[in-house]
Amino acid sequence: MLIDPQLVQKAEGLIPELMTSPVEPKAVIEIAADENAFQGWRVDQAEEQNWKEKALGKGDSFVLDFEDHMVGYLSLVVKPVGSPPDAPLKLKLTFGEMPCEIAEPFESYQGWLSSSWLQEETIFVDVLPAELKLPRRYTFRFLKVEVLDTSVKYKVSFQDIACTTVTSGDVSKVKPLPSEVSEELALMDRIAIKTLRDCMQTVFEDGPKRDRRLWIGDLRLQAQANYLTFNNYDLVRRCLYLFAGMRLPDGAVGACVFEKPHAHVDDTRLYDYAIFFVSCLYDYYEASHDRDTLLELWPIAMQQIEIGVQRLNEQGIVADDETWWSFIDWHSDLNKQAPTQGVLIYCLRQGLELARVVGEAEQYIEGQIERTVNGAIEQLWDEQQGFFVSGSDKQISWASQVWMVLAGVLPAEQNAALLDRLFEAPPAIGMTTPYMYHHLIEALFSAGKQENAVEQMKAYWGEMIKDGADTFWELYNPEDKKLSPYGSNLINSYCHAWSCTPTYFIRKYLI
Ligand code: RAM
């Protein structure tokens, strides 16, 4: 890997102090199978609410509801009831962002991401009474406390159970919305901010349950939402320095980085994610006007442009010769060529703006824009069908149209007409993630289609709220509520960075 120790040191100098606050559970609940409820599980208040004084023996359990999304550290006080404890206490704790994680046994999990993400703990307590402080950070709303064994001579009862939440997002920095904003949008804004806040730790994490790391595609959207809410420039700078300071061997920015045991870049390479470094730097400079950081990181942004254009073929379009080379969306049938061409042009245009500020490489970037826009129109635009096509099968997808609109390949009027056509004759290859929906909505706003944009926000994030979201989710399909690219909805993240952007739309375009 290519390491620039100075940049990494700068990043490490910007590790924020986390704010903490203790939160107690609010209720005891029961989860019941109900095919009309979200993912088939309904949450009911339990008849017996007095969990503190209840004596529990082998096989007894209860489920606590914190009534909001938590990211933090759990502590419990447990005491023996009956004869002196003559055997250790064997305790199981299960944490769930959603009811499915409490109701469906983790042993049933068959997805392809590691089951180690599922949050559970079996603890042996030798000495009672005890105050337990769990060392791992958990992300949850529901907590199942299960006594696996005591002995025939004693039971236990729990006294204080609390979560010390952690975040680097300071809510006091977030301006209240003007009172004209509808209740529906104000609620969406609040949940989006909570989502962003719970992902704001010592980096902008993608999801505090999973993957708990910094991905640049997620960072880009988080940073945009952050500039209009928490306005924490230092956390963005830290993340930019991490990506800039640790790159893949040819200089490309890696798709994600880990912080521990020491900062290091992952070996995942994604074409769109690497070029988004330019976009992240552009947005950062736009928001902060921090010229020093721009000048320092500009050479790395420029390098991403140079690496990015190496993939262009003679016709000026990105080669599409592998399956997992660009991300765009979690959709197994999606051809990535045309949407990635859109991403490249979009980033080249932002790169050109930066080049003008820095006073370097303008002509070079202009030349690349001309080349890629011409390539897109000549090779990928199907005049007869009125859509951009992608790959050798000439696939028509939502993602291709959305990214080509954002890239401004067609003149404004044609862009608007293309977006209308998308809704009149929807392509079969749809969108899977809030990440891709974000880009559709951004395209609608950028083409002046505010009404439709708001309608889409309500139909998507609004539906998540109706389905019980405390924070916005990594994956959501109103038609298939158990959808997961990982083979099981248990492993989905239900507080996910790239889903936090309703607050950005509301604060940028609607107030
Ligand atoms: C998943 C995560 C992450 C995303 C990558 C590409 O692992 O959801 O947020 O950026 O995919």
Side-chain angles (χ1 to χ4, degrees):
M1 299 293 168
L2 232 165
I3 311 291
D4 181 332
Q6 253 186 324
L7 292 179
V8 179
Q9 214 181 339
K10 280 206 171 167
E12 298 300 62
L14 289 164
I15 296 178
E17 280 270 327
L18 298 183
M19 284 162 277
T20 61
S21 84
V23 183
E24 290 190 1
K26 304 285 184 292
V28 181
I29 53 122
E30 277 160 11
I31 296 173
D34 177 350
E35 58 182 30
N36 296 318
F38 180 67
Q39 295 183 342
W41 299 109
R42 194 186 67 232
V43 175
D44 296 328
Q45 291 274 310
E47 244 174 64
E48 182 59 80
Q49 287 293 319
N50 193 10
W51 59 272
K52 283 197 183 180
E53 291 317 319
K54 217 173 156 193
L56 293 101
K58 182 172 181 159
D60 292 337
S61 67
F62 59 92
V63 181
L64 294 173
D65 182 356
F66 283 68
E67 292 184 353
D68 204 353
H69 192 263
M70 303 284 117
V71 179
Y73 295 86
L74 192 81
S75 58
L76 312 91
V77 174
V78 53
K79 64 172 191 189
V81 181
S83 298
D86 58 338
L89 160 67
K90 185 175 179 185
L91 183 66
K92 183 168 174 192
L93 301 172
T94 309
F95 302 80
E97 290 186 301
M98 298 301 284
C100 64
E101 291 156 273
I102 301 296
E104 295 171 36
F106 288 165
E107 295 74 47
S108 69
Y109 173 73
Q110 300 251 324
W112 60 269
L113 287 187
S114 173
S115 62
S116 60
W117 286 116
L118 301 172
Q119 306 174 103
E120 61 179 339
E121 219 68 68
T122 302
I123 302 166
F124 294 85
V125 188
D126 292 311
V127 180
L128 288 165
E131 186 179 354
L132 309 174
K133 285 186 189 261
L134 272 57
R136 299 185 69 208
R137 196 192 75 191
Y138 295 97
T139 299
F140 65 101
R141 168 174 168 164
F142 304 106
L143 170 68
K144 182 171 183 183
V145 180
E146 220 175 331
V147 173
L148 295 183
D149 218 338
T150 49
S151 85
V152 287
K153 292 188 71 182
Y154 84 101
K155 293 187 173 190
V156 287
S157 76
F158 292 87
Q159 298 203 300
D160 297 307
I161 298 186
C163 177
T164 304
T165 62
V166 284
T167 178
S168 57
D170 182 354
V171 260
S172 71
K173 299 269 159 58
V174 181
K175 289 203 187 102
L177 285 178
S179 54
E180 312 85 77
V181 176
S182 72
E183 252 177 62
E184 191 181 2
L185 288 182
L187 177 62
M188 204 183 281
D189 179 75
R190 194 175 60 65
I191 297 175
I193 290 171
K194 170 77 172 142
T195 307
L196 177 58
R197 184 166 186 242
D198 282 2
C199 293
M200 284 172 78
Q201 300 295 331
T202 45
V203 292
F204 282 98
E205 290 184 14
D206 65 330
K209 175 179 103 175
R210 205 216 83 243
D211 301 323
R212 299 174 63 152
R213 76 192 62 142
L214 170 64
W215 286 86
I216 198 162
D218 302 76
L219 167 67
R220 180 172 149 263
L221 302 193
Q222 282 168 302
Q224 289 184 340
N226 165 62
Y227 300 135
L228 298 170
T229 52
F230 297 99
N231 213 17
N232 186 336
Y233 293 136
D234 276 353
L235 193 63
V236 181
R237 268 177 75 218
R238 163 160 164 77
C239 297
L240 289 173
Y241 285 130
L242 284 171
F243 281 116
M246 304 177 297
R247 282 166 288 141
L248 301 174
D250 67 343
V253 164
C256 66
V257 303
F258 301 95
E259 297 177 85
K260 298 272 165 62
H262 53 80
H264 60 290
V265 63
D266 187 35
D267 53 9
T268 304
R269 184 189 189 105
L270 290 169
Y271 181 93
D272 50 346
Y273 274 28
I275 197 86
F276 275 143
F277 184 83
V278 180
S279 189
C280 291
L281 187 59
Y282 171 87
D283 292 336
Y284 173 75
Y285 180 71
E286 273 277 297
S288 67
H289 300 290
D290 171 359
R291 204 182 153 85
D292 292 343
T293 304
L294 170 63
L295 292 178
E296 192 177 13
L297 297 181
W298 166 250
I300 287 147
M302 192 57 211
Q303 186 182 33
Q304 305 315 305
I305 292 178
E306 283 162 353
I307 293 173
V309 300
Q310 279 169 19
R311 202 182 172 92
L312 293 172
N313 63 17
E314 278 160 21
Q315 281 110 17
I317 53 173
V318 285
D320 174 49
D321 48 16
E322 303 154 65
T323 38
W324 174 248
W325 60 279
S326 180
F327 174 63
I328 304 293
D329 194 12
W330 273 120
H331 194 308
S332 46
D333 298 331
L334 177 67
N335 182 281
K336 311 281 173 77
Q337 185 182 46
T340 307
Q341 181 85 5
V343 171
L344 174 61
I345 298 169
Y346 176 88
C347 292
L348 284 171
R349 291 196 194 282
Q350 294 185 329
L352 180 60
E353 296 293 318
L354 293 182
R356 288 187 177 136
V357 178
V358 173
E360 254 181 40
E362 285 170 64
Q363 274 187 337
Y364 169 79
I365 299 179
E366 273 165 4
Q368 299 303 335
I369 293 176
E370 209 188 309
R371 181 181 174 206
T372 46
V373 168
N374 288 343
I377 291 179
E378 281 157 24
Q379 305 299 318
L380 304 175
W381 174 242
D382 184 329
E383 180 68 41
Q384 230 178 346
Q385 302 196 72
F387 282 124
F388 285 94
V389 296
S390 185
S392 50
D393 292 343
K394 307 211 173 299
Q395 182 188 77
I396 298 177
S397 66
W398 280 76
S400 298
Q401 319 314 316
V402 164
W403 271 111
M404 287 300 192
V405 169
L406 290 172
V409 170
L410 300 174
E413 261 171 49
Q414 285 188 45
N415 259 347
L418 174 56
L419 285 170
D420 289 342
R421 215 169 301 128
L422 256 183
F423 288 89
E424 285 152 17
I429 305 290
M431 298 170 290
T432 317
T433 55
Y435 175 77
M436 196 55 231
Y437 269 87
H438 165 90
H439 292 107
L440 167 68
I441 290 160
E442 182 75 313
L444 289 169
F445 275 118
S446 74
K449 297 188 173 297
Q450 181 162 318
E451 216 175 293
N452 192 359
V454 174
E455 215 175 285
Q456 298 309 314
M457 285 166 66
K458 290 183 179 170
Y460 197 65
W461 283 275
E463 282 303 300
M464 271 192 231
I465 297 176
K466 286 187 198 147
D467 276 332
D470 302 305
T471 46
F472 289 128
W473 305 332
E474 175 188 20
L475 279 313
Y476 185 61
N477 179 349
E479 308 303 320
D480 174 9
K481 297 189 174 173
K482 288 189 168 188
L483 174 98
S484 171
Y486 316 117
S488 166
N489 57 301
L490 288 180
I491 210 95
N492 287 1
S493 154
Y494 293 92
C495 172
H496 213 71
W498 65 28
S499 209
C500 77
T501 58
T503 185
Y504 158 83
F505 292 126
I506 292 166
R507 287 163 190 262
K508 179 164 180 191
Y509 297 111
L510 301 173
I511 59 175

